[in-house]
Amino acid sequence: MNSEKIPVLVLTDVVVFPNNEVRIEYDDTFDKSLIELVDSSTDKLMIIVNPISEDYISDITSLPKYGVLSQLKLKMNVPNGKTRVVIEGIKRVRVSNYLFTNGVYEANYNEIEISNCNDNHYFNILIKSLERYIATVPYMSNAVMSQLNNVSTLTDLCDLIASFLPVSYEKKKEYILTTNDIERAKLLIKDMNEDLRFIELEREIESEVEREIDESQKEYFLREKIKVIKQELGDVNSKDDEIEHFKKKASKLKCSNKVKEKIARELSRYETISNNSPELGMIRDYLDWITSLPWNKITNDTKDLKNVEEILNSTHYGLKEVKLRILEYLAVKENTNNLRSPIICLVGPPGVGKTSLALSIAKSLGRKTAKISVGGINDEAEIVGHRRTYIGAIPGRIIQGIRKAGTANPVFIIDEIDKMTKDIKGDPASSLLEVLDPEQNNKFSDHYIEEEFDLSKVMFIATANYIEQIPYELRDRLEIIELSSYTEYEKLDIAKKHLIPRALEEHGLTTLQVNIEDDALLTIIRNYTKEAGVRELDRLLATLLRKIVKKILIEKDEVFYNIKSEDIEEFLGNKKYFYEKNKSKSEVGVVNGMAYTVFGGDILPIEATLFKGKSELILTGSLGDVMRESCMIAFNYIKSNSKKFGIDNKILEENDIHIHFPEGAVSKDGPSAGIAVTTALISLFKNKEIPKTMSMTGEITLRGNVLPIGGLKEKVIGSHRAGVRKIYLPIDNKNDLEKIPEEVTKDIKFVFVDNYQEIFNDIFVKED
C-alpha cells in the first residue's frame, strides 16, 4: 500500500482512462484548491474517481474502490476566471481508504495486480469489432486506428477503445470499474455490437422512407411529362387548367371591385384567344402578376414598444434619433390606429449601418421586408414598369418588391437614392415622386399593372451617402435622419458586443480559445482601418480569426490565444495608417484643415509657399470649383487687409503664391477650407509657425465673416484621432458640439469665431 496520502479529484461528468489525456476547465473553488495542491507537489500526482452516487459529499462511502492514478501535465488560468488543466491517466489503482481534510479529499491506494492478459484471441476479436464499428458508425472517430500501433496488451487496447467510444458517462464509468481485462473486452464488444444493430435498423427505416419518396417522385415526374405532352400537342385542357388556376387565385384576392373586373376581362380574353396567338403568353404573364399581388394583405405591427426598443438596441449601437423616431411612430399609431407610414431617409457615410438598421426596424415591427437599389438607374421604367405593349414588359421594381414581400405594408428599403442618373432614357428620380409622396402614393399606378395600388401602408426607408446629391424634389418629401461616423470607442464597443461574437461563431471558435484585448482592437481600428463605419474592421477580425483557425487545425497549435496590441502585425501585416505623423514639428505656411470624406472625418493639411513672380495664385491638389474659389477669396481678403495684418505689400506684389492640398490623386471640394487657407497664407507672409496640434474649419467671406459648415462631428473625430488638441470653429456651429462624444471633446479646446480677425488675434497677435 502506498503510505503517502495523495489528493483525490472527484469527477461527475468526465472519465479519465489510463494512457489518455483530458482537458478540463474549473470554476468551482473546491476544484481550484485541489488543483493548486496537486500543482505544488513535486510529482503532481492525484487519484481521479467517479462517484457511484451523488451523495458522496455527505456520504464518503459513496466513493468507489477503484480509480485512476493520474498526473497533472498543465495548469493555466484563462481570462474568464476559470482554470484550464490537462490531466494524463497513468494506471488503475485500488483505493484503500478516503479522508476529507481542509476541503480536499485524500486517499491511500494499492497497486492492482494485472495478470498477463495478452490473450490473442480476445485481442484479435476486439480489433475486428473495432474495424467493423468504425466502418459502419458515421459518428465514430477513426483517429483511434492511428494509435493502435502503440498498443500491445489487451489492457491498453480496452482502455484506448473505451476512451474513444461515443457512449454515455455511466457506460464509461463501468469500463473504469471493470478491472478484469477479458470482462472489459466482452463489455466493449457487446456495446459495439448493440450500437451496430441500432445503426442497421436505422438504415432499414431510411431505405424504406427513401423508397416511398422515390415512388412519389416517379408519380410527380409522370404527371409533369403528361402536362408537357399536352402543351406540345396544343391540348385545350392545359389552358383550361391555367384558367381554373387563375380563377381560384382571383377568388381569394382581397382587392377592389375595379381590380376584380380587370382580372375578369383579362381572363375572358385569355379564354377566347387562339393558342397560336403571340398575345397568349403576354396575357398569361399579366394574369400571373395581377393575381399574385398582396392587394390588401397586411401584417400587424408589434404593439410591445419595449420589445421593439430592445431589438433595435441589440442590433445597433447608438443611433438614438432614428430609434426614437420609430418608437414615436408606433406609439402614435397605436394611440390613433390610423397613421400614414413615415418616409425616412437615412443619410451617412458607407458602413455605419444604414441598410442593416432598416432591416432591424422591419424585424422589430414584425413586418416583411422588400429591398431594391436604385444606384446607377437611368431608366424610369425600372421604377414605374414598362407598358404592356412592349415585348418582355414587366412591372417596375416597386411592384416587384411588393410581390416578393407578400404583404401590402412591408418595410421597403430603397438603397443608394443619391446615386440615380438622369439621361435621354428618362429621370428615375421624378418617377420616385409618386412612390415617396405621402399625398399621392395611395394611388400609385405601375405602367404594367395599370391599376392603382395603395402604397400608403408601406414604410419606405431610403438610404444615401450624401444629402446634397439627393434630388431636391425628392428630399422635400423625405424625413432626413443623419447617421454620423462612429468614434474609435464606439467602434470598440461595437466590435466587443456584435462583431467579435458573430465572427467567433462563424469561424467555429469560442472565448475559451481566443480573446482579443481592447488595446489590440484599438490598434486595428487606428492603424489598419480608415472608415466611418465598421465594415473593414469586420473583415480584418475575420482575417485574424482565419489565421488562428489555421494554426489550430494545420499546425495543431491548441494553446489559448490572448491577442494583444503587439501581436497584431503578426496576423495582419504591417500597419497601413499612421496618424502619429501629424504630431511632427510645426512649419511655416502649413495648416491643418478639416475634411469630411467617405471614410468619415480627417485632417486636410494645406501647404502654401511663395517665390519670385507677378502676384499670381497657383492652386494644385485636384480641387473642385468651390475650393478654388475659397482660395481666391482668402488671398484677396488678405490683400485687401494687408495693413491690418501687418503684411508688406511688396511680398504680395513681387511673388507668386502656390497653395497645395497634398494627396492630389484624391478629388477635393466643399465650402469649409476658407479660414484654414487664410491662416496658411498669413503664416507664410509673417513667417510664423502654426502648431501641428491645431486645426480649423469654416468658410470665409471677402469681409472676413466665418460661415457655418456641415459634418462637424466627423471632422472633430478625425482631428482628435490625428492628435489635434485645439480647433477653431464657426460660432454658428456651437450647438452642434452636443452631438460629439465626451471622450473626444474632453481632450480638445474649442475656439468659436464670428470673424477671421478673432483667429488672427489669437494666433498672430496674442502670442507675439
Side-chain angles (χ1 to χ4, degrees):
M1 184 179 84
N2 182 38
S3 59
E4 183 183 352
K5 292 183 177 62
I6 65 173
V8 175
L9 176 60
V10 182
L11 296 179
T12 59
D13 54 357
V14 178
V15 176
V16 179
F17 288 92
N19 303 314
N20 176 239
E21 275 190 0
V22 294
R23 290 165 173 77
I24 308 173
E25 286 193 1
Y26 296 100
D27 56 6
D28 187 81
T29 308
F30 167 79
D31 291 331
K32 278 193 174 183
S33 60
L34 182 135
I35 295 299
E36 294 294 337
L37 178 63
V38 174
D39 194 41
S40 62
S41 65
T42 54
D43 52 14
K44 301 185 185 301
L45 293 178
M46 69 181 110
I47 296 174
I48 295 179
V49 297
N50 303 101
I52 298 170
S53 71
E54 296 181 358
D55 301 331
Y56 71 92
I57 297 176
S58 58
D59 183 11
I60 201 169
T61 60
S62 297
L63 294 175
K65 294 181 180 179
Y66 294 97
V68 177
L69 182 66
S70 306
Q71 187 176 40
L72 180 65
K73 305 294 288 184
L74 173 67
K75 182 179 80 69
M76 178 175 65
N77 294 325
V78 290
N80 59 7
K82 295 185 179 182
T83 302
R84 181 180 298 167
V85 295
V86 178
I87 299 171
E88 181 182 20
I90 300 174
K91 59 185 176 181
R92 280 181 183 77
V93 294
R94 180 183 177 87
V95 180
S96 54
N97 66 299
Y98 289 98
L99 289 174
F100 187 73
T101 56
N102 299 324
V104 174
Y105 287 102
E106 292 183 321
N108 297 106
Y109 69 88
N110 294 322
E111 301 280 348
I112 297 177
E113 292 186 10
I114 301 175
S115 58
N116 191 14
C117 288
N118 290 333
D119 190 319
N120 288 332
H121 177 65
Y122 279 102
F123 191 94
N124 292 333
I125 290 176
L126 197 53
I127 290 289
K128 288 179 181 177
S129 297
L130 177 64
E131 290 174 345
R132 186 168 69 255
Y133 186 76
I134 291 174
T136 306
V137 178
Y139 46 80
M140 174 63 178
S141 172
N142 58 8
V144 64
M145 299 300 294
S146 63
Q147 299 187 27
L148 290 179
N149 295 332
N150 303 323
V151 175
S152 58
T153 67
L154 186 59
T155 301
D156 293 343
L157 179 61
C158 288
D159 287 334
L160 175 63
I161 295 174
S163 66
F164 275 90
L165 212 59
V167 294
S168 66
Y169 164 74
E170 293 298 328
K171 274 286 184 187
K172 286 185 179 283
K173 191 164 69 172
E174 189 178 353
Y175 298 151
I176 285 292
L177 298 178
T178 305
T179 56
N180 184 285
D181 294 337
I182 293 179
E183 292 299 322
R184 196 157 68 255
K186 289 179 179 178
L187 188 61
L188 287 167
I189 292 169
K190 175 189 170 187
D191 289 341
M192 284 191 286
N193 288 338
E194 192 174 292
D195 211 2
L196 287 172
R197 283 196 295 273
F198 278 117
I199 293 292
E200 189 62 34
L201 179 61
E202 191 176 56
R203 286 184 176 176
E204 288 178 7
I205 294 172
E206 287 179 356
S207 177
E208 184 66 27
V209 171
E210 188 175 342
R211 191 159 50 249
E212 291 177 4
I213 291 174
D214 287 342
E215 288 294 330
S216 63
Q217 286 179 338
K218 178 181 177 182
E219 183 180 342
Y220 172 79
F221 173 77
L222 290 173
R223 289 185 182 279
E224 289 296 312
K225 196 169 184 180
I226 291 170
K227 189 186 294 184
V228 172
I229 291 171
K230 284 184 176 182
Q231 290 175 350
E232 290 294 327
L233 294 173
D235 198 326
V236 180
N237 290 331
S238 176
K239 184 177 173 183
D240 290 341
D241 291 342
E242 288 179 344
I243 293 170
E244 189 63 30
H245 169 69
F246 287 131
K247 284 182 177 179
K248 284 182 180 179
K249 288 179 71 175
S251 66
K252 295 178 182 178
L253 284 181
K254 296 179 181 179
C255 56
S256 66
N257 291 331
K258 190 176 179 183
V259 173
K260 287 183 177 180
E261 289 172 4
K262 177 75 171 180
I263 295 172
R265 286 198 303 272
E266 292 297 326
L267 270 171
S268 178
R269 285 184 63 204
Y270 188 59
E271 284 179 304
T272 57
I273 199 168
S274 169
N275 289 346
N276 298 321
S277 172
E279 284 189 69
L280 185 73
M282 296 170 62
I283 299 173
R284 185 195 302 118
D285 290 342
Y286 179 77
L287 284 169
D288 184 42
W289 272 102
I290 199 169
T291 57
S292 298
L293 289 177
W295 293 93
N296 285 309
K297 182 181 178 182
I298 63 172
T299 55
N300 295 322
D301 288 345
T302 302
K303 293 186 177 180
D304 186 353
L305 300 185
K306 192 70 179 174
N307 184 52
V308 172
E309 186 176 21
E310 288 174 358
I311 291 174
L312 291 175
N313 288 333
S314 67
T315 55
H316 283 77
Y317 180 89
L319 309 178
K320 294 180 181 178
E321 186 178 350
V322 65
K323 293 176 183 176
L324 181 63
R325 179 64 185 89
I326 298 304
L327 292 172
E328 289 172 349
Y329 161 72
L330 289 177
V332 176
K333 185 174 185 295
E334 186 176 343
N335 197 42
T336 62
N337 201 29
N338 183 22
L339 183 67
R340 286 185 312 203
S341 293
I343 298 177
I344 294 171
C345 182
L346 304 176
V347 179
V352 296
K354 299 183 295 296
T355 303
S356 59
L357 177 60
L359 293 171
S360 294
I361 290 171
K363 180 182 176 184
S364 66
L365 295 175
R367 292 194 185 189
K368 301 289 186 180
T369 57
K371 179 179 177 295
I372 64 171
S373 176
V374 294
I377 286 181
N378 62 353
D379 187 354
E380 61 184 23
E382 293 280 347
I383 305 297
V384 294
H386 302 81
R387 302 283 180 187
R388 288 175 60 194
T389 52
Y390 292 101
I391 295 175
I394 57 172
R397 294 194 183 189
I398 301 299
I399 291 297
Q400 290 180 39
I402 294 290
R403 179 182 175 179
K404 287 179 183 178
T407 63
N409 67 332
V411 172
F412 204 117
I413 304 165
I414 306 179
D415 265 338
E416 314 292 356
I417 202 170
D418 58 331
K419 296 181 177 62
M420 291 181 289
T421 57
K422 179 180 179 181
D423 61 14
I424 194 171
K425 292 184 179 179
D427 182 9
S430 299
S431 300
L432 271 179
L433 289 178
E434 187 182 358
V435 176
L436 299 179
D437 190 341
E439 299 300 327
Q440 56 180 317
N441 65 4
N442 62 330
K443 295 182 179 180
F444 172 71
S445 179
D446 184 275
H447 290 166
Y448 182 83
I449 299 297
E450 296 176 347
E451 295 298 325
E452 294 176 352
F453 191 95
D454 185 1
L455 295 178
S456 63
K457 302 182 184 71
V458 179
M459 178 182 283
F460 286 101
I461 301 180
T463 71
N465 295 131
Y466 302 99
I467 190 171
E468 300 84 6
Q469 295 179 12
I470 302 174
Y472 177 77
E473 62 273 17
L474 275 181
R475 199 188 321 168
D476 184 53
R477 289 161 171 82
L478 301 174
E479 187 170 337
I480 304 291
I481 298 178
E482 295 192 31
L483 279 67
S484 56
S485 306
Y486 294 123
T487 66
E488 292 176 351
Y489 299 100
E490 286 175 334
K491 291 180 182 179
L492 176 67
D493 203 57
I494 292 169
K496 290 165 68 176
K497 289 182 179 178
H498 300 285
L499 303 184
I500 293 177
R502 185 179 65 196
L504 286 173
E505 183 180 353
E506 289 176 353
H507 290 81
L509 297 170
T510 67
T511 52
L512 300 177
Q513 295 171 290
V514 180
N515 177 60
I516 305 176
E517 294 189 354
D518 288 1
D519 63 336
L521 284 171
L522 285 172
T523 297
I524 297 174
I525 292 167
R526 290 170 179 166
N527 300 116
Y528 291 86
T529 67
K530 191 174 184 181
E531 57 180 348
V534 292
R535 282 179 184 160
E536 184 65 18
L537 175 60
D538 194 21
R539 285 191 286 266
L540 289 170
L541 288 172
T543 300
L544 189 150
L545 293 180
R546 283 199 306 272
K547 294 183 182 296
I548 291 177
V549 171
K550 177 196 167 194
K551 284 179 175 288
I552 293 174
L553 296 184
I554 299 179
E555 302 176 14
K556 305 298 181 184
D557 191 351
E558 297 185 10
V559 300
F560 174 73
Y561 287 88
N562 189 44
I563 308 299
K564 299 181 180 179
S565 178
E566 54 267 25
D567 303 325
I568 296 301
E569 287 199 32
E570 176 188 347
F571 291 98
L572 301 181
N574 295 330
K575 295 178 180 178
K576 297 180 180 178
Y577 307 106
F578 299 90
Y579 296 105
E580 292 78 6
K581 68 183 180 182
N582 298 319
K583 299 178 183 177
S584 57
K585 67 177 183 178
S586 304
E587 297 179 66
V588 172
V590 180
V591 174
N592 288 326
M594 298 164 69
Y596 176 40
T597 70
V598 292
F599 306 113
D602 203 353
I603 62 168
L604 181 66
I606 300 171
E607 300 177 349
T609 188
L610 56 80
F611 43 86
K612 286 294 181 182
K614 299 178 181 179
S615 190
E616 290 185 7
L617 184 63
I618 303 168
L619 305 175
T620 57
S622 190
L623 307 181
D625 292 339
V626 176
M627 297 252 323
R628 288 180 171 275
E629 289 178 1
S630 292
C631 294
M632 294 171 63
I633 291 169
F635 183 51
N636 291 333
Y637 169 68
I638 293 171
K639 288 171 71 175
S640 64
N641 293 275
S642 57
K643 288 185 180 179
K644 187 187 296 184
F645 295 144
I647 299 172
D648 188 351
N649 277 327
K650 287 185 178 181
I651 297 176
L652 303 174
E653 295 169 357
E654 298 175 0
N655 293 281
D656 286 344
I657 312 300
H658 187 166
I659 302 174
H660 177 62
F661 292 74
E663 297 186 36
V666 180
S667 299
K668 309 172 189 72
D669 203 10
S672 63
I675 62 174
V677 174
T678 305
T679 305
L681 291 173
I682 295 177
S683 165
L684 177 68
F685 300 146
K686 295 181 72 68
N687 197 31
K688 170 81 173 181
E689 294 181 351
I690 304 298
K692 278 288 185 177
T693 56
M694 177 190 296
S695 68
M696 56 190 70
T697 182
E699 193 51 85
I700 192 172
T701 70
L702 287 173
R703 298 293 181 267
N705 296 324
V706 180
L707 305 178
I709 49 88
L712 181 66
K713 179 181 176 181
E714 287 79 5
K715 292 177 180 180
V716 171
I717 291 171
S719 296
H720 177 267
R721 179 179 56 198
V724 170
R725 293 299 176 261
K726 184 175 183 180
I727 298 178
Y728 291 90
L729 298 173
I731 196 167
D732 290 338
N733 287 111
K734 191 170 186 177
N735 292 334
D736 296 335
L737 216 59
E738 298 173 359
K739 301 178 182 178
I740 303 172
E742 186 180 349
E743 63 262 20
V744 173
T745 57
K746 69 180 182 181
D747 296 332
I748 298 176
K749 178 183 178 182
F750 294 95
V751 180
F752 293 95
V753 296
D754 186 42
N755 190 279
Y756 185 79
Q757 188 67 44
E758 299 170 43
I759 301 176
F760 178 81
N761 294 339
D762 195 51
I763 297 177
F764 299 101
V765 177
K766 185 184 295 184
E767 297 179 1
D768 284 346

